[in-house]
Amino acid sequence: MTRDKAAPPGIDTSIPSVARVYDFFLGGKDNFEVDRKVAEHALRITPDGPAAGQANRAFLRRVIRFLVTEAGIDQFLDIGSGLPTQGNVHEVATEHNPKARVVYVDNDPIVLAHGRALLAEEGTATVIQADVRAPQEILNNPEVRRFLDFDRPIGLLLFAILHHVGDDEQPRALAAELIDALPSGSYVAISHFRDPGERDPEGSRKAREVERVFNESLGTGRWRTDEEILAFADGLTVLEPGLVPLAEWRPESGTPTPQQTDTYHTFVGLLARKP
């Protein structure tokens, strides 16, 4: 048994956090017993949860490389960024363009504390505490406006965040509000939990079971259909190969692929361009 280290001021370790549960799946150490209990409950249904988290990070890295090297994007708004981990957006982006700029956004105060410590000497990235459910607070934040030029294309990153916005919170409207603020030529990347429906009845059953666990413990979690996920990209041009399991989005030869089983068809992603 290991004791949890002291939490930064203002962190309630009696309530599980989406960011910290995800950190656990990625093998991180910035999580607490309450977060591990949620993760372990989910793992009893879909034991490949850590592989799903790794696949999401690998998808993110491929998207960033494409946007920097092929689309010429040099500024990013990463909403629901989670705790800093290996292969952060600014690390991947500045590897290919040292002038790339990144704003990380998360509603968990522990992300702010750890992010500021990590970025203290970087100069190319910053982190703010805000919630995707309040898009104008993000868009009008002085730090966001200082780092990003909204007269030039931006890469909006919505990785594993929209499925934590309930239907009653108008996720399509929230996404549309963020996208509307982007200039022409911007890109939007989304990863999202999917209910595969009749094409994979067993996968659909497990998706609904994990959805129940997440909602009972975290208060969030929505496994949506292809049609519901694609609706977030209405008015955008979805790039090939479209909405696909994470490992199928432009895989790179010679790069190991996380071995997903239960979650392969229930965690998907896309990249779209704003005309």
Side-chain angles (χ1 to χ4, degrees):
M1 297 289 290
T2 58
R3 291 185 61 188
D4 288 324
K5 60 184 177 183
I11 307 300
D12 186 348
T13 60
S14 68
I15 300 174
S17 150
V18 171
R20 299 195 308 262
V21 170
Y22 187 45
D23 177 70
F24 175 82
F25 282 141
L26 290 172
K29 298 179 180 178
D30 294 310
N31 52 76
F32 299 95
E33 182 179 0
V34 66
D35 309 302
R36 295 190 285 273
K37 285 183 177 178
V38 174
E40 288 162 359
H41 193 170
L43 289 174
R44 287 197 287 271
I45 304 165
T46 53
D48 68 337
Q54 293 159 13
N56 190 51
R57 295 299 298 186
F59 170 56
L60 178 148
R61 290 191 290 270
R62 295 196 302 276
V63 165
I64 300 305
R65 277 193 287 270
F66 169 82
L67 289 178
V68 176
T69 63
E70 298 189 43
I73 300 296
D74 62 1
Q75 48 180 358
F76 297 90
L77 181 59
D78 184 1
I79 301 178
S81 58
L83 284 153
T85 188
Q86 187 175 9
N88 293 298
V89 173
H90 74 282
E91 293 171 329
V92 179
T94 56
E95 178 184 349
H96 300 286
N97 182 350
K99 295 183 179 180
R101 312 270 282 183
V102 180
V103 176
Y104 295 108
V105 182
D106 204 284
N107 66 354
D108 191 327
I110 200 170
V111 174
L112 187 69
H114 285 267
R116 283 184 172 167
L118 173 72
L119 301 173
E121 299 180 2
E122 294 283 352
T124 58
T126 189
V127 57
I128 67 167
Q129 184 180 344
D131 197 300
V132 68
R133 298 170 183 83
Q136 289 305 316
E137 289 184 16
I138 297 172
L139 295 169
N140 295 319
N141 184 285
E143 191 77 347
V144 172
R145 290 291 170 172
R146 182 172 75 87
F147 257 72
L148 305 181
D149 179 358
F150 279 76
D151 290 326
R152 297 191 301 108
I154 292 170
L156 173 62
L157 311 178
L158 298 170
F159 286 88
I161 181 63
L162 292 173
H163 53 229
H164 289 299
V165 181
D167 292 344
D168 60 330
E169 296 172 305
Q170 305 299 316
R172 282 187 63 185
L174 295 175
E177 196 169 345
L178 290 165
I179 294 168
D180 285 347
L182 302 177
S184 175
S186 293
Y187 287 79
V188 181
I190 296 172
S191 67
H192 199 294
F193 293 154
R194 173 175 72 175
D195 181 350
E198 294 181 358
R199 82 187 73 182
D200 181 7
E202 179 61 10
S204 179
R205 183 192 68 77
K206 290 184 176 181
R208 291 303 177 193
E209 181 65 11
V210 178
E211 182 178 79
R212 180 187 63 79
V213 169
F214 269 50
N215 277 275
E216 288 178 355
S217 52
L218 287 171
T220 69
R222 178 76 162 80
W223 274 246
R224 294 188 168 98
T225 64
D226 281 7
E227 292 74 20
E228 290 173 314
I229 299 169
L230 285 167
F232 292 123
D234 277 354
L236 307 179
T237 301
V238 178
L239 277 63
E240 293 295 334
L243 179 67
V244 293
L246 301 177
E248 295 181 19
W249 196 90
R250 305 192 181 200
E252 297 170 341
S253 60
T255 302
T257 300
Q259 296 303 303
Q260 290 174 268
T261 52
D262 297 301
T263 62
Y264 188 87
H265 291 287
T266 59
F267 204 175
V268 295
L270 64 81
L271 178 65
R273 185 180 186 275
K274 183 175 181 178

